[in-house]
Amino acid sequence: MGMSEPDAGMPGFLSEEPGERKDLSLLRGSMTPDDANHLDSTTTSAFVEGHLTGAARDRAAAHLAVCASCRDEIVAVREVLTGISTRPMWRRPPVLLAAAAVVALVAIGLPLLQDGRLRAPVPVAVRTPERETRDLSAASPAPDAIVERGPTAQPLVLAWHGAEAGSRYRVNLLDANGETLWSSETGDTSITVPGDIELLPGGSYFWFVDALGTDGRSLTTGALRFSIR
Amino acid sequence: MPEALPKEVTLLLHADDETTRDAAWERFVAQHTRLILYVIRKLVRDRDRGMDAYAWVLERLREDGARRLRGYSANGAGKFTTWLVVVARRLTVDFLRHSGGRTQATGTATGDGVGRESQVFRRRLLALAGDTVDLDALRDEHPAADDLLDRSERLEALTQAVQELPSMDRLLLTLRFDDGLQAEQIARTMHFPTRFHVYRRLDRVLTQLRTQLNGRGIDGDE
């Protein structure tokens, strides 16, 4: 773990008023706040991305447990990255398209619902096509796929065709009501759903992947439904 | 492992002459301006000050032959974008301190005004772990000497027990009870798959603390 950071040249950042942090001492371990030592930018970004492992991660966590300013920073950076990946930074959402989608839902969806013909539940969080999808597409489970799940089934793997090299992906699994069941980040183009996420037979689920490209562009696959047999 | 450097950064770092360097810098700025502004706006609400901060950040990134970017190229681990967010945020904080201002971010972990809330969270931790604390007694401005001693012993025992936890668990408790973060935020920060995993881990750690406190003669019947 790198502490301090001559290369980042942040004298102001390193001169945190000690008094502000000393009173947050209940939970701190043996390390005491040291104004001269903070996580460097490389370690901070690696921790935020979850790339630190083993002793390096433990050292970083031990420092974070006693250093309010570094903690503040990782939380803020994480929130910034989440904000980037969940809202369209680079283009305005096509308001007219979204409005048209709502009108279409009302005009077509309601009669069908009343008719009883539209049986598939619509997620509460309807996602408007506000981001580009052309470079990112889901591979498995395919849209409307029926997935066999039994007591001896292999873990469910979600896979997609990636955007550009170096992209980071946030994968989201939702229940039929649009509630997030599980979410995770990866740099890979597939991910295994943890075994303790319960997917019930007969249930419908949705999943989607958001990608953050190296140029800051965000893409999404859009929500895709699959069912469990 | 560091990812491949973005093309515009590579061009900037390997530019042989001033003209090429200027062109590469322009390209870098065009490519990353919106990200940098996004980071700045989290800390600076005022538009004019935000633009001053933006100029400051760009200046710092370019100075000494783009020293910071070279630092990433030599030591960078992970995504360039994440690293740039960290550095841009630090430079913005630096700008605010140099210009005599304070950060204006909201909702961060340890900002101003959290102190009182933090005490509440500590009490909650004490209550959850010890399962023994009379919160009314904690609010009493003139507690009896016995109560004070009792409270002090519990606090000491708890502090000791917390210090013996693995560092990731200490961080988890700190984020939850010291900083008062929501489980969802903790999940994102510490890479738990869901907030439910945060609750489960917290439950496990608190159970462990409770066991340790019981082992030290602090039980739930006092």
Side-chain angles (χ1 to χ4, degrees), chain B residues 60-157:
Chain B
R60 299 282 91 74
L61 283 173
R62 197 181 187 186
E63 71 186 1
D64 300 335
R67 171 171 57 87
R68 291 177 177 81
L69 293 169
R70 287 183 200 284
Y72 170 80
S73 122
N75 310 310
K79 276 174 66 67
F80 176 75
T81 313
T82 305
W83 177 86
L84 186 59
V85 168
V86 172
V87 172
R89 189 179 181 280
R90 289 184 176 192
L91 289 170
T92 306
V93 171
D94 201 28
F95 164 80
L96 288 168
R97 293 205 167 135
H98 273 82
S99 61
R102 299 184 64 84
T103 59
Q104 296 167 300
T106 55
T108 53
T110 54
D112 292 340
V114 179
R116 200 181 312 141
E117 206 175 333
S118 168
Q119 287 183 346
V120 174
F121 280 112
R122 289 181 211 174
R123 287 174 187 167
R124 281 184 53 205
L125 172 61
L126 208 52
L128 286 166
D131 211 12
T132 61
V133 175
D134 178 357
L135 289 178
D136 289 334
L138 284 174
R139 280 192 284 271
D140 188 354
E141 289 180 6
H142 305 288
D146 281 356
D147 288 342
L148 276 175
L149 186 62
D150 189 42
R151 197 193 313 172
S152 161
E153 282 175 0
R154 287 170 201 283
L155 200 58
E156 196 179 321

Side-chain angles (χ1 to χ4, degrees), chain B:
Chain B
M1 284 289 293
E3 68 174 9
L5 270 181
K7 198 183 291 178
E8 66 280 2
V9 179
T10 308
L11 286 173
L12 179 64
L13 298 184
H14 293 94
D16 292 329
D17 57 80
E18 201 61 33
T19 310
T20 315
R21 197 169 298 120
D22 285 348
W25 175 251
E26 289 304 317
R27 191 168 167 174
F28 172 83
V29 171
Q31 194 72 40
H32 297 287
T33 279
R34 299 195 75 166
L35 178 65
I36 293 169
L37 283 175
Y38 186 81
V39 172
I40 290 171
R41 282 181 194 135
K42 293 281 177 189
L43 294 163
V44 187
R45 290 197 193 110
D46 180 82
R47 186 181 170 81
D48 289 340
R49 284 200 85 202
M51 294 316 292
D52 289 344
Y54 170 67
W56 167 279
V57 169
L58 290 186
E59 201 180 323
R60 299 282 91 74
L61 283 173
R62 197 181 187 186
E63 71 186 1
D64 300 335
R67 171 171 57 87
R68 291 177 177 81
L69 293 169
R70 287 183 200 284
Y72 170 80
S73 122
N75 310 310
K79 276 174 66 67
F80 176 75
T81 313
T82 305
W83 177 86
L84 186 59
V85 168
V86 172
V87 172
R89 189 179 181 280
R90 289 184 176 192
L91 289 170
T92 306
V93 171
D94 201 28
F95 164 80
L96 288 168
R97 293 205 167 135
H98 273 82
S99 61
R102 299 184 64 84
T103 59
Q104 296 167 300
T106 55
T108 53
T110 54
D112 292 340
V114 179
R116 200 181 312 141
E117 206 175 333
S118 168
Q119 287 183 346
V120 174
F121 280 112
R122 289 181 211 174
R123 287 174 187 167
R124 281 184 53 205
L125 172 61
L126 208 52
L128 286 166
D131 211 12
T132 61
V133 175
D134 178 357
L135 289 178
D136 289 334
L138 284 174
R139 280 192 284 271
D140 188 354
E141 289 180 6
H142 305 288
D146 281 356
D147 288 342
L148 276 175
L149 186 62
D150 189 42
R151 197 193 313 172
S152 161
E153 282 175 0
R154 287 170 201 283
L155 200 58
E156 196 179 321
L158 177 65
T159 305
Q160 179 71 32
V162 167
Q163 283 179 2
E164 289 167 9
L165 291 172
S167 56
M168 287 297 276
D169 286 341
R170 284 211 306 277
L171 177 58
L172 172 66
L173 292 178
T174 308
L175 290 172
R176 181 68 180 137
F177 296 105
D178 217 359
D179 297 344
L181 257 60
Q182 294 175 347
E184 188 81 38
Q185 286 176 292
I186 296 174
R188 284 198 293 267
T189 303
M190 293 187 70
H191 303 280
F192 285 97
T194 69
R195 65 182 187 278
F196 299 109
H197 290 76
V198 173
Y199 290 131
R200 281 177 219 155
R201 186 68 208 165
L202 274 172
D203 184 51
R204 216 168 294 162
V205 174
L206 291 173
T207 303
Q208 191 181 334
L209 282 177
R210 205 172 291 129
T211 307
Q212 286 192 31
L213 290 180
N214 288 342
R216 290 170 195 188
I218 298 176
D219 58 46
D221 299 327
E222 288 178 24

Side-chain angles (χ1 to χ4, degrees), chain A residues 22-36:
Chain A
K22 276 179 183 165
D23 66 338
L24 299 170
S25 57
L26 172 67
L27 301 172
R28 289 179 185 153
S30 55
M31 188 184 286
T32 52
D34 182 346
D35 293 336

